[in-house]
Amino acid sequence: QAISVAQVVTEQPWVAVSPTGRTIVTWSQFTSATDNTRQAGAAHYDTLTGPTGALATNRRLDALPTFVQQNGYLPQVPSVIDDDGNAIAVWMQDGTPFRVVFASRFLGATSQWSPSGGANLSASIHNAKDPVLAIDGMGRVTAVWRMPPTGGTQDNIYIAEFR
């Protein structure tokens, strides 16, 4: 079953499954077949109650809220999901003039992404790179990425935690 938008290029799929079988799939895709702007897509599936939004209607991250890349750059969109169907996705987004790390949370109870536009985790004037996520058995999420410190040239590893 296809879960991405037809007739646009999709890339970099990522899948996360909770111990109870709840699933989140995230990917990068072009906004149309004729331009170079990309957006993040997501599909959420609950094996306990059946499809929620995504596999049935293709709930995309850009629907609520919008994560559109103006310059066509959007690498992988890593995600994790807990046993309650709550998920978090992170991605790099081009800022002006640097790339920053953003995150958004999918609430299983409401089937909506929040906050609108995502939250800037790196809050930096340096290029953030390679965000990844992990989740523990209590639903606590840890995001890490690399970027140089202010005035530095070598990357450090940065961390943000979600409860």
Side-chain angles (χ1 to χ4, degrees), residues 46 57 78-79 90 139 145 151 156:
D46 184 341
T57 62
S79 57
V90 295
W145 64 94
N156 287 336

Side-chain angles (χ1 to χ4, degrees), residues 1-16:
Q1 176 181 359
I3 60 174
S4 63
V5 175
Q7 301 175 350
V8 297
V9 174
T10 57
E11 301 175 322
Q12 306 292 336
W14 187 279
V15 63

Side-chain angles (χ1 to χ4, degrees), residues 43-61:
H44 177 262
Y45 186 76
D46 184 341
T47 58
L48 302 177
T49 61
T52 58
L55 290 183
T57 62
N58 188 28
R59 176 175 301 284
R60 297 191 319 265
L61 282 174

Side-chain angles (χ1 to χ4, degrees), residues 71-84:
N71 68 351
Y73 181 78
L74 181 65
Q76 279 188 327
V77 184
S79 57
V80 293
I81 190 167
D82 68 16
D83 287 341
D84 294 325

Side-chain angles (χ1 to χ4, degrees), residues 94-161:
D94 276 340
T96 304
F98 300 102
R99 292 188 180 130
V100 293
V101 175
F102 275 77
S104 190
R105 182 183 303 269
F106 179 86
L107 300 175
T110 63
S111 295
Q112 296 209 2
W113 290 91
S114 175
S116 178
N120 182 342
L121 299 182
S122 56
S124 173
I125 59 168
H126 297 288
N127 282 322
K129 304 170 197 89
D130 306 326
V132 293
L133 292 168
I135 190 168
D136 70 14
M138 301 297 293
R140 293 178 297 232
V141 175
T142 302
V144 296
W145 64 94
R146 65 186 178 105
M147 72 181 178
T150 301
T153 57
Q154 300 299 316
D155 289 344
N156 287 336
I157 302 298
Y158 291 80
I159 189 168
E161 297 177 311

